[in-house]
Structure formats: structure tokens, C-alpha cells
Amino acid sequence: MDIKVQVREAPGDCYVVELSGEIDVYTSPKVKDAVSDLIDRGVYNLVINLENVRYIDSTGLGVLIGGLKRVREHGGTVNLVCSNPQIRKIFDITGLVKIFGIFDNEDAAMKALV
Amino acid sequence: MNQPATQSAPSDVVELRIPCRAEWVALARLAVAAVANRSRFSIEEIEDIKLAVTEACTAVIQHENHGETIEISCETDDGALRLRVHDAGRHVHAPKIAAIDFDEARVAGLGVFLIRTLMDEVTYEVHPDTGTDLHMAKRIPGRTT
């Protein structure tokens, strides 16, 4: 099992982090490194695309929450793209739907940043 | 010879032992998913079980006082899939949490919260000589325990 991380610049001074695969205790450090690297470079508006994520556990949620905390300190935010019902269920039952903007597609997530 | 009025199916037990390292957790959840798939669980319920097992193994791995291996036992009977996750460490990774304080983005205990939410029964046992057991059960739809 692995996670594929692709980072690309998007219009409006934001970046998209596109993830593919499974996010667990083994793969989440790779996601954390990618998100932290962007924040260290002064990118505080992020869209994290989970459309191709088949699985996420609490360590993955922890990475997302940690990233959100850091960007909020700089007035930024993290929006998520997720339409997979099973992944959305995890955000629902943990209450994370209340702290993340979660969108069905990348365009909507990026528009909500500005 | 008298036959019992009702005959329950025999329980099947599958056991797996993995090194207590992050790279093996995916194997544990896939194996448990395969066992769950033999019962009448929906895809959503199998995903719940996979996540619970993942969280259980992750809690062990992240605890500094863990053993060398994690043993996972899956038992299916008439009414439920019963899982035991055992490691030789003597610790309790079951913080008492009523709710998670997301204002402070506190993620400690999130794994245990998920386990308790997704599974029907969850109990911990700490044995001074042998280590820690987490017992979890998920009832099989349409059957009684």
C-alpha cells in the first residue's frame, strides 16, 4: 500500500495537494511532509483533493487537522475535495465536517477559498 | 438419537501475527476484511471493521511500550465477527473520552473514538504477565448473538 502525492499551483495564490491511495500510519508521514513543505514556503490556502483516496484513518485525519491549524494561524484555510461516501462518513462521525470545508469537486473547493 | 431443535453454525477462527511496525497494518486490515467478507456484512460494514482494526494496530504501534508483534484473532459465529488484538505491551490505550474537542483540534483519542463508534462491542484487558487485549465485535446483520 502506498500513497501518491501530487502538488500543483492553482490560480488565486493557492495550491492543490492531490492524494491517491490509502492514508494510514505508514503513509501519512508522506502527506504530512508535503503539506508542511507548502506551509513552510508560505502557502496558507490549500485544497487537498481526496477524490482518489480509498482509505483514511485517524493518523491521516491528524495530518489534515494539523495542517489546518497551521494555516489558520496565518489567516489561511484548507478545503477538502471528497465525494467518496465512506471517507465522508469518517468526517461526519468525527465531527470534522464542522471544521473543514468539504466539497464534491476541486473547482468548488478553490472558489470557496477566495 | 435426539437432535437439537436448533443447531448453531460452528465458529471459525483465523489468526494473524504481524510485526509491530507501520508497514504491516495494511496487511492486517486486508486479512480481516477478507474474513468479514465471508459473513453477511455490507461493504460499508466491512470498511468499518477495517478501520477499527487499523486503529487498534496503530494505537499499539504508536505506544512506546509495545511488544514485538501484534496478534489478531478473528472469530465468526452465528451472531457476530469477534476480533481480538493482542500485544505484549502492558498499557491501556483507551482514554475515557466523551467527545473530542475540535476547537483545539485535539486528535488524541481519535482512534479509540472511531473504534467505539464503528464497532458494537469494545473492551480492553490488561494482563500483567502477557500484555494487552482489545476485544471488538460487530454483529452480523440479520442474526442475533
Side-chain angles (χ1 to χ4, degrees):
Chain A
M1 300 299 162
D2 203 1
I3 187 78
K4 191 173 172 186
V5 182
Q6 290 183 306
V7 177
R8 64 178 189 277
E9 192 169 4
D13 196 26
C14 86
Y15 274 73
V16 176
V17 180
E18 192 171 344
L19 305 174
S20 307
E22 301 193 348
I23 310 175
D24 67 1
V25 65
Y26 183 55
T27 60
S28 60
K30 193 171 175 182
V31 180
K32 184 178 182 180
D33 287 347
V35 172
S36 295
D37 181 56
L38 285 170
I39 298 171
D40 290 344
R41 286 160 46 194
V43 177
Y44 303 130
N45 285 307
L46 295 174
V47 169
I48 299 181
N49 190 332
L50 304 173
E51 278 295 274
N52 294 311
V53 170
R54 298 187 303 274
Y55 184 88
I56 189 166
D57 72 359
S58 64
T59 60
L61 298 178
V63 169
L64 299 179
I65 293 167
L68 180 63
K69 274 186 73 178
R70 285 193 64 195
V71 298
R72 278 188 176 174
E73 289 168 3
H74 301 276
T77 196
V78 173
N79 284 342
L80 306 178
V81 180
C82 177
S83 58
N84 179 331
Q86 192 61 31
I87 305 282
R88 284 193 81 125
K89 176 183 168 183
I90 306 301
F91 285 95
D92 284 334
I93 63 178
T94 55
L96 290 173
V97 286
K98 295 174 187 167
I99 69 164
F100 284 103
I102 303 179
F103 300 86
D104 286 336
N105 59 69
E106 214 172 273
D107 283 345
M110 281 195 288
K111 279 178 188 165
L113 283 177
V114 292
Chain B
M1 181 184 285
N2 291 334
Q3 293 292 327
T6 58
Q7 196 166 22
S8 50
S11 63
D12 292 328
V13 179
V14 176
E15 294 175 320
L16 173 71
R17 184 189 299 160
I18 61 169
C20 193
R21 296 199 304 273
E23 62 265 40
W24 292 100
V25 173
L27 175 66
R29 67 170 168 267
L30 289 177
V32 171
V35 175
N37 193 43
R38 294 179 62 85
S39 300
R40 284 198 310 223
F41 290 110
S42 66
I43 290 172
E44 183 179 347
E45 288 162 335
I46 292 172
E47 289 298 319
D48 292 348
I49 294 164
K50 282 171 67 180
L51 184 53
V53 168
T54 298
E55 297 296 348
C57 294
T58 298
V60 173
I61 290 166
Q62 290 184 326
H63 201 284
E64 59 187 21
N65 185 30
H66 62 67
E68 294 289 314
T69 60
I70 303 173
E71 295 170 21
I72 298 132
S73 167
C74 315
E75 182 174 0
T76 53
D77 59 24
D78 259 357
L81 171 66
R82 302 181 191 283
L83 302 167
R84 182 182 73 110
V85 178
H86 171 84
D87 82 293
R90 288 181 293 280
H91 51 79
V92 176
H93 40 75
K96 301 281 185 194
I97 50 170
I100 295 171
D101 182 358
F102 289 115
D103 288 340
E104 296 179 8
R106 186 162 60 90
V107 294
L110 190 54
V112 175
F113 176 81
L114 285 167
I115 291 171
R116 290 192 184 281
T117 304
L118 299 173
M119 301 298 280
D120 295 318
E121 298 170 25
V122 180
T123 56
Y124 286 86
E125 291 176 4
V126 181
H127 305 284
D129 297 330
T130 57
T132 306
D133 285 338
L134 165 59
H135 297 272
M136 304 180 280
K138 186 93 167 169
R139 285 189 286 275
I140 297 170
R143 298 192 198 176
T144 55
T145 52

